[in-house]
Amino acid sequence: MPNENSSRTVDVLVVGGGAAGLSAGVALARARRDVLVVDAGAPRNAPAHGVHNFLTRDGVAPLELQRLGAEEVRRYGGRVLTGTATSAVRDERGFTVRTTAGEVRARRLVVTSGLVDELPDVPGLAAQWGRGVVHCPYCHGYEVADQPLGVLGLSGMSGHQALLFTQWSRDVVYFTHTGGQLEPGRHEELLARGVRVVDDRVVEVLTSGGELSGVRLAGGEVLARRFLVVGAPVRVASPLLEGLGLRTEPVVFGGVVLGEHYPSGPGGSTDVPGLHLAGNVTDPQAQVVTAAGAGLMVAAAVNLGLLSEDTAADVAAHRARGATAAALA
């Protein structure tokens, strides 16, 4: 997304140009707000071949979806800036946000900067992330259907992942890796679904012709696999929120801590007045279409807050004019 000249004071600054941020940008621009979206141009899902479960856009490349979204923001008069937001402070007038492209003043701040996956340190794994190494059955299940799959045990939720992927393949191997022993009930469920459980650690992800071809185990055995499922823990990508006084909370699913996020209330509201959140930064389970919907709802809440503020100022001005007219009468 190319840089665009902009005023340095805007109604709303949106940090993050993924589905949530661009959706918020479009809605705010359509509401005739002066909105600026700042984005580093490196979305979390960039390595993936396509976005799925997004009605009418299924299979679109992530960067293409981002390009189309940026065009829509511009179409309605919004602006897009390529850069990284590095810090933010709040005062009675709003926010001052420092970015690598300069400083921006905003009456409201919407952060949609997402999460970062903390991949396990297994040689060859990171290079296949988003292609041969996948994480979400609803994002990737159809594309890996009927292929030999491996599931890497990282936590108590990894067995649940293995169970989910049996919906798409009957050739699933579960590697206990660092996830510990499966609880008896889960172990029985996997065996009943035809999953082979291998009690060993994966020490290397192997490729052939650029595609994942298997894994090497600590014991030396090589198992041929076409895809490897990895549910990595997540952390917040942006440094802004802690500096504004927010604190992360653990992401807990099934009693297992899977990472961190920033909680938010209705309309993405936070304990910091004027600061709203949308997308994975607050909802780690949100897929692309969910994040886009959240961006729209946050935009509506932000616009309503600005309208209330503008109306209060107009009422005060109206009363002042009336008082002046009465004094001159």
Side-chain angles (χ1 to χ4, degrees):
M1 292 184 283
N3 287 344
E4 301 178 4
N5 293 327
S6 66
S7 63
R8 290 303 177 185
T9 300
V10 296
D11 287 332
V12 187
L13 175 63
V14 179
V15 175
L22 291 172
S23 178
V26 168
L28 287 163
R30 283 174 54 84
R32 310 187 76 176
R33 292 295 177 186
D34 184 9
V35 58
L36 173 65
V37 179
V38 60
D39 182 72
R44 178 187 179 199
N45 61 353
H49 291 299
V51 169
H52 297 291
N53 297 314
F54 200 134
L55 193 63
T56 78
R57 291 291 181 184
D58 194 78
V60 64
L63 291 178
E64 174 64 6
L65 182 64
Q66 189 178 45
R67 184 190 67 80
L68 292 169
E71 284 186 357
E72 288 193 9
V73 172
R74 297 188 187 100
R75 184 188 311 162
Y76 293 108
R79 285 159 291 172
V80 178
L81 178 71
T82 300
T84 301
T86 56
S87 66
V89 294
R90 184 185 179 280
D91 58 30
E92 68 279 359
R93 295 178 300 154
F95 299 86
T96 300
V97 181
R98 292 187 180 276
T99 80
T100 53
E103 189 173 276
V104 181
R105 286 281 308 169
R107 296 172 64 191
R108 297 290 188 274
L109 178 60
V110 176
V111 176
T112 67
S113 51
L115 299 170
V116 174
D117 300 278
E118 297 192 312
L119 300 178
D121 186 17
V122 177
L125 189 150
Q128 284 289 322
W129 180 242
R131 298 182 294 121
V133 176
V134 300
H135 73 292
C136 169
Y138 300 104
C139 304
H140 308 286
Y142 189 87
E143 284 63 42
V144 306
D146 303 320
Q147 297 294 318
L149 308 180
V151 179
L152 195 65
L154 295 177
S155 72
M157 281 304 298
S158 299
H160 174 70
Q161 271 192 309
L163 190 63
L164 275 173
F165 271 91
T166 63
Q167 177 69 22
W168 286 272
S169 175
R170 301 302 291 181
D171 184 1
V172 178
V173 176
Y174 178 78
F175 304 103
T176 57
H177 194 60
T178 60
Q181 294 295 317
L182 289 163
E183 61 270 30
R186 181 70 76 199
H187 192 279
E188 183 180 31
E189 289 175 343
L190 294 179
L191 293 179
R193 293 287 291 176
V195 176
R196 176 186 171 190
V197 178
V198 175
D199 187 14
D200 203 350
R201 188 167 51 88
V202 173
V203 296
E204 186 180 5
V205 172
L206 306 174
T207 59
S208 176
E211 296 185 343
L212 192 148
S213 60
V215 299
R216 189 185 309 279
L217 304 178
E221 183 181 3
V222 172
L223 283 180
R225 297 287 89 188
R226 179 61 187 87
F227 294 93
L228 184 65
V229 179
V230 177
V234 294
R235 62 176 173 82
V236 174
S238 174
L240 296 183
L241 299 176
E242 186 170 353
L244 288 168
L246 294 188
R247 296 293 179 263
T248 60
E249 291 186 358
V251 177
V252 181
F253 189 87
V256 178
V257 176
L258 301 178
E260 64 179 16
H261 76 126
Y262 283 99
S264 64
S269 60
T270 70
D271 292 337
V272 178
L275 172 63
H276 295 253
L277 310 179
N280 288 145
V281 69
T282 186
D283 182 4
Q285 291 184 292
Q287 295 192 28
V288 176
V289 67
T290 319
L296 169 61
M297 300 309 294
V298 165
V302 168
N303 183 62
L304 181 59
L306 288 169
L307 177 62
S308 297
E309 187 176 285
D310 293 341
T311 300
D314 289 342
V315 167
H318 174 75
R319 289 174 177 172
R321 288 193 297 270
T324 300
L328 295 175

